[in-house]
Structure formats: structure tokens, C-alpha cells
Amino acid sequence: MRQHYEFTSESVSEGHPDKVADRISDEIVDLFFRESVKDGMSPWDVRVAAETLTTTNKVVIAGETRGSDKITNDMIIDVARQAIKDIGYEQDGFHWNTADIDILLHAQSADIAQGVDDGCGMHAEEGAGDQGIMFGYACNETPALMPAPVYYSHKILQRIAKARKLEGKTQLGPDSKSQVTVRYANGKPVGASAIVLSTQHLDESMCSEDVAELVKPYIYEELPDDWITDETIWHINPTGKFVIGGPDGDSGLTGRKIIVDTYGGAAPHGGGAFSGKDPTKVDRSAAYAARYLAKNIVAAGISDWVNIQLSYAIGVANPTSIYVDMGGKGQVSETELEAAIREVMNLTPRGIREHLQLNKPIYARTSAYGHFGRTPDNEGGFSWEKTDLVDALKAVL
């Protein structure tokens, strides 16, 4: 790997039109888990694949589901409106209470179900919901064991959202984007070469300089103390006025920000999006498992960084392959680690859901600011960020 270079990653806020779509899709996943279990249905039988389109005062939700018969379109519309309200949209072009919401959800395909359900299809064990390749990555650049550029891009927008929603900075709007260029020396992140921030502002009289004066303190607050210097290049609202934002300014689609959701381009990611999918879809659950394994490997001191690939075939339970890359610089060989992974974790879809306790309404919180590098919570959210596999890995190795 290069030792001296610059690398850039971006993030987008919860009010970005694509993230509004992701949030609504994940609220539907949570709704089906919450209400189906309340109605006496097993969470193992819940299925959701919900896609959302957002545009000017319009939301369209399509896809397939399986869950309680008591879940109505009105309930789905209500969770969508509450999500939009929580994000902060009460504007003429996109308002939580007046947006027109169309529901085009239907029952899950029987052909897909027969390959996923226990005892159906070619295999007796619950199979993967689709074929695919999933990646997990971790490195020791930040406390969360995430690449520094995407980690700090997320932190900046989370801080600005806190200022907007909890600290009275109501002149800021929900839609924003950040980008951080990190300078590396001897393979380690040492400073910010460039910082880009574009944020919607609801006060039409504000210019770029006014916005910069408002948000720069939050950026300084989130970056390491010595990272911003006189040589750091700043671009705050470089186009000037940014009043029209969110779905009124641009359409949004579920799953269109998968580099933001993962590692900011610093590591590979699979082709499938996460949001809107229940954990039988290995696009989501196996990507979480791969991150969980990677984070525990780095936390165990086995390597400074690791990239893991898992692959699956639709209807088949066990992964078709496990690949580990540590650049040949780990404390053990990649081959040894691949064998150890199979011993410490059951990587079938059912095994992943059991180990990480994924059959819960924990997904709406993942829809913005990245699925990785977050703090596990008491309700089971971000369980894949725990480092409770360290001892097991050390014992096997």
C-alpha cells in the first residue's frame, strides 16, 4: 500500500433525498418486524424488500413483503410521514403532512420464498435470499476502526444535524453533504487537505460566508485538533444559495448511496444496497457479518487492517466462498484466518441472524451516517459493531 497520499470520502445527511428514501424503506422493515411479532407471528417469517422514490411532495413505495395481515397501507403511510417529520421536512415542496404517498407493495414471490424458507427448495436449511458478494472491512485509523475520510465525513454531518435539531440552529435545513480529503503520511492519517460542506439553509438572506461562519465551529469540533491548518482548503456552499433542497430539489431513491453506507470507497463493497431489506437478504446481513468479523480481527490485534469477502448462492445456506486479505502482514496467514472464521461464526443466513440478533426493528437508525463505525445500542442496533468475538478468534488461532 502507498505510504504518502491523499484520499477523499463523502457523506450525506438524513435529509438528502436518497437518504429520505432509505429511511422510509427501513421504517417499513421495522414496522413489519414490530407489528408481525405483536400479532403473534415469528420474526423468522418476516420478509421485506421495500424500495422508495421521493420527489417534489411525492413518495412512491414499491416492493414485496410478508408479515401480519393487520399491517395496512395507512400504517405504512403513517410511518413514512413520521420519518419525514423527524428528518425535518415542513417545506412547501416537501412536507411530511401534505406529501402524496403511493403504496405499491405486494406479497413476496413464491419462487423466491421456496429457496429461503426452511425445508423448501433444493435444501433443507434456510437459504440465502439472493446470490451476491459482500465485503467487510476494518482498520485502526479511527476509534471505530473505520477509514478516517468517511468516518469524519459522517461525524461532521451528525454534528450539524444535532445543532439543527437540538440546539436551535433552525436556519439550517435537513439536506447536506460533506467531503473530507485526508492526507496520509507513512500510511497513517495526519491531516485534512480539503473540506467540502454544502448545507441547505432556510434563511434566504444567508450567503456562503454566513453559512461558513455558522458551521465551521462544528467541523473544528469533530476533526482531530491538529488536522486543520492554514493549508487546508475549504469549500462551504461553493455554489452559493442552497434553499431548495431534499426531494424538492432532486429525486431520491433507496440504495443509491452504498459507498456512503459502507467504507467511503477505501475498501470494496458489494453491489447490493442494505436499506429496505430484511436480514434474509444477504446483501444486508452478510455485509454486517463481514464487518463484524473484520472489526474483531483488527480489535484482536491480528492485523492493522483486513478486508473480507463472503459470497452466496440464492437458496443455499452456506457461503460459497470466504476470502481474507491483510496484505500479507497479519499475525497469521490469510488461509489460517479463513479457517478460523468458519469456526467462530455460523455464516448461514440463519446463523448470522441468530448471532447478531437481527430479527428486530433496528433498521431505521442505520439509514443515515453509515451502517458501520456506529455505537451498539441497548435495543440491539448496530450489534455488528461489537468486539465480543476477540477472545474466540484468539483461542482458535
Side-chain angles (χ1 to χ4, degrees):
M1 297 178 67
R2 292 176 62 187
Q3 295 298 298
H4 306 281
Y5 59 96
E6 294 179 335
F7 194 84
T8 304
S9 295
E10 71 162 348
S11 180
V12 297
S13 72
E14 63 200 272
H16 186 281
D18 294 329
K19 283 293 153 196
V20 176
D22 284 343
R23 171 72 178 273
I24 292 170
S25 293
D26 275 336
E27 291 284 0
I28 294 168
V29 177
D30 286 355
L31 173 70
F32 269 78
F33 271 114
R34 187 169 56 247
E35 295 301 321
S36 297
V37 170
K38 187 187 298 183
D39 194 31
M41 184 176 179
S42 169
W44 293 97
D45 295 328
V46 172
R47 303 286 185 268
V48 182
E51 311 287 344
T52 302
L53 162 71
T54 62
T55 187
T56 301
N57 250 353
K58 182 77 174 182
V59 175
V60 180
I61 301 168
E64 51 276 348
T65 63
R66 185 170 78 191
S68 170
D69 293 337
K70 294 181 180 179
I71 298 173
T72 65
N73 283 354
D74 285 343
M75 294 169 70
I76 295 168
I77 289 170
D78 182 63
V79 298
R81 292 198 189 282
Q82 292 306 311
I84 297 166
K85 182 179 182 181
D86 181 66
I87 291 168
Y89 279 112
E90 295 186 340
Q91 301 162 21
D92 290 341
F94 196 70
H95 196 294
W96 66 272
N97 196 37
T98 59
D100 183 32
I101 302 177
D102 288 345
I103 309 297
L104 304 174
L105 295 169
H106 57 81
Q108 184 189 38
S109 162
D111 290 349
I112 293 176
Q114 72 176 354
V116 178
D117 293 343
D118 286 342
C120 297
M122 297 173 61
H123 304 274
E125 189 176 356
E126 177 183 299
D130 202 352
Q131 71 176 46
I133 56 172
M134 279 57 65
F135 290 90
Y137 181 79
C139 61
N140 58 10
E141 293 180 10
T142 62
L145 304 185
M146 285 288 286
V150 71
Y151 176 78
Y152 289 112
S153 294
H154 288 322
K155 296 285 281 185
I156 289 168
L157 293 187
Q158 287 176 296
R159 182 65 186 90
I160 290 173
K162 180 181 177 182
R164 174 177 64 87
K165 298 173 79 171
L166 300 177
E167 297 175 0
K169 304 301 182 183
T170 55
Q171 60 269 59
L172 295 173
D175 192 359
S176 58
K177 302 176 75 172
S178 64
Q179 187 171 283
V180 179
T181 300
V182 174
R183 180 169 56 86
Y184 286 76
N186 297 314
K188 302 294 183 183
V190 296
S193 300
I195 298 168
V196 181
L197 180 77
S198 295
T199 183
Q200 183 185 16
H201 53 94
L202 305 182
D203 182 348
E204 297 196 33
S205 68
M206 295 180 75
C207 62
S208 296
E209 290 76 14
D210 297 327
V211 175
E213 183 179 356
L214 179 61
V215 301
K216 272 190 173 184
Y218 304 127
I219 297 173
Y220 275 98
E221 190 177 318
E222 293 303 324
L223 293 182
D225 290 340
D226 57 348
W227 272 34
I228 299 175
T229 69
D230 292 341
E231 297 180 356
T232 300
I233 298 169
W234 292 83
H235 296 291
I236 306 294
N237 278 25
T239 61
K241 187 176 178 181
F242 183 10
V243 174
I244 301 172
D248 189 30
D250 193 7
S251 63
L253 290 171
T254 300
R256 201 156 56 175
K257 287 290 180 286
I258 53 179
I259 286 184
V260 171
D261 289 341
T262 55
Y263 306 104
H269 62 81
F274 303 154
S275 290
K277 297 176 181 176
D278 74 78
T280 65
K281 283 74 171 174
V282 286
D283 284 340
R284 181 167 223 161
S285 56
Y288 290 172
R291 163 63 181 174
Y292 173 67
L293 290 164
K295 185 172 184 180
N296 277 271
I297 288 165
V298 174
I302 296 168
S303 182
D304 288 344
W305 65 271
V306 62
N307 184 49
I308 297 173
Q309 185 203 59
L310 305 175
S311 66
Y312 290 83
I314 188 169
V316 180
N318 286 302
T320 55
S321 67
I322 299 175
Y323 169 80
V324 172
D325 179 21
M326 298 181 289
K329 295 184 178 181
Q331 299 297 314
V332 299
S333 72
E334 279 90 347
T335 303
E336 288 177 286
L337 196 49
E338 288 163 358
I341 284 171
R342 293 183 184 273
E343 290 193 44
V344 299
M345 188 173 181
N346 178 354
L347 289 171
T348 66
R350 178 172 282 270
I352 292 170
R353 286 197 283 165
E354 285 180 339
H355 192 110
L356 297 178
Q357 299 183 318
L358 298 180
N359 289 340
K360 295 179 178 180
I362 57 173
Y363 296 103
R365 68 199 71 175
T366 69
S367 59
Y369 312 116
H371 291 246
F372 307 130
R374 309 286 290 277
T375 302
D377 59 45
N378 294 331
E379 293 77 38
F382 303 104
S383 61
W384 50 94
E385 290 298 313
K386 294 180 179 179
T387 53
D388 54 4
L389 206 62
V390 167
D391 291 340
L393 281 165
K394 288 181 176 180
V396 169
L397 291 167

